[in-house]
Amino acid sequence: MYNGPVRLLYEPDDDNGAPDPGEVVWAWVPYEDDPAQGKDRPVVVVGRALAGRRSDLVVLALSSKDHADDPGWLPLGVGAWDRSGRTSFVRVDRVLSVGPEGIRREGATLDRARFERVAEAASRQHGWA
């Protein structure tokens, strides 16, 4: 979990692999009930950490499981990060930080409108300015 301040950014850049805010990338995400375990999953990069390691990216996990009735999740829709074309949901109530070295691969770029919806929902949830 990451509980520090966040600099929200939308700076996707087609730069052959470097993770950027506004992109969906794959990273190892620890399980909530056992942080020593986890799995590789898609995450939305929403900004940069302003506490701890300044190079860390602030990310929110994605899931293709239906979370329509859960207020901690926001429907994101379909995107190139899911080859099966499933609808994705982004978890806005759990914030993680990942160093650039922890990113496994890039998946896609969110369009600005979807990014803004995610950033707004996460900001409301966590009191980010």
Side-chain angles (χ1 to χ4, degrees):
M1 286 277 295
Y2 177 76
N3 294 315
V6 175
R7 181 172 174 225
L8 292 170
L9 298 166
Y10 183 75
E11 297 181 332
D13 185 9
D14 187 14
D15 50 13
N16 299 318
D20 301 302
E23 295 176 347
V24 175
V25 298
W26 265 255
W28 188 82
V29 174
Y31 295 134
E32 259 186 296
D33 57 348
D34 183 359
Q37 296 185 49
K39 70 178 187 178
D40 207 39
R41 66 179 315 133
V43 296
V44 176
V45 181
V46 294
R48 300 198 183 277
L50 295 176
R53 290 181 1 167
R54 297 289 177 128
S55 62
D56 282 358
L57 301 165
V58 176
V59 302
L60 305 172
L62 292 180
S63 176
S64 58
K65 181 180 173 189
D66 188 343
H67 290 279
D69 295 328
D70 188 333
W73 292 79
L74 177 73
L76 192 61
V78 176
W81 55 85
D82 187 315
R83 292 181 187 155
S84 300
R86 297 173 293 186
T87 297
S88 294
F89 294 80
V90 60
R91 185 165 185 187
V92 296
D93 66 351
R94 183 175 185 225
V95 180
L96 303 165
S97 65
V98 178
E101 71 283 353
I103 302 300
R104 309 257 192 259
R105 65 183 169 95
E106 288 187 59
T109 297
L110 283 182
D111 59 83
R112 184 176 279 281
R114 279 201 273 191
F115 177 84
E116 294 295 336
R117 279 195 354 240
V118 170
E120 182 180 318
S123 293
R124 274 194 318 270
Q125 181 81 31
H126 301 284
W128 298 337

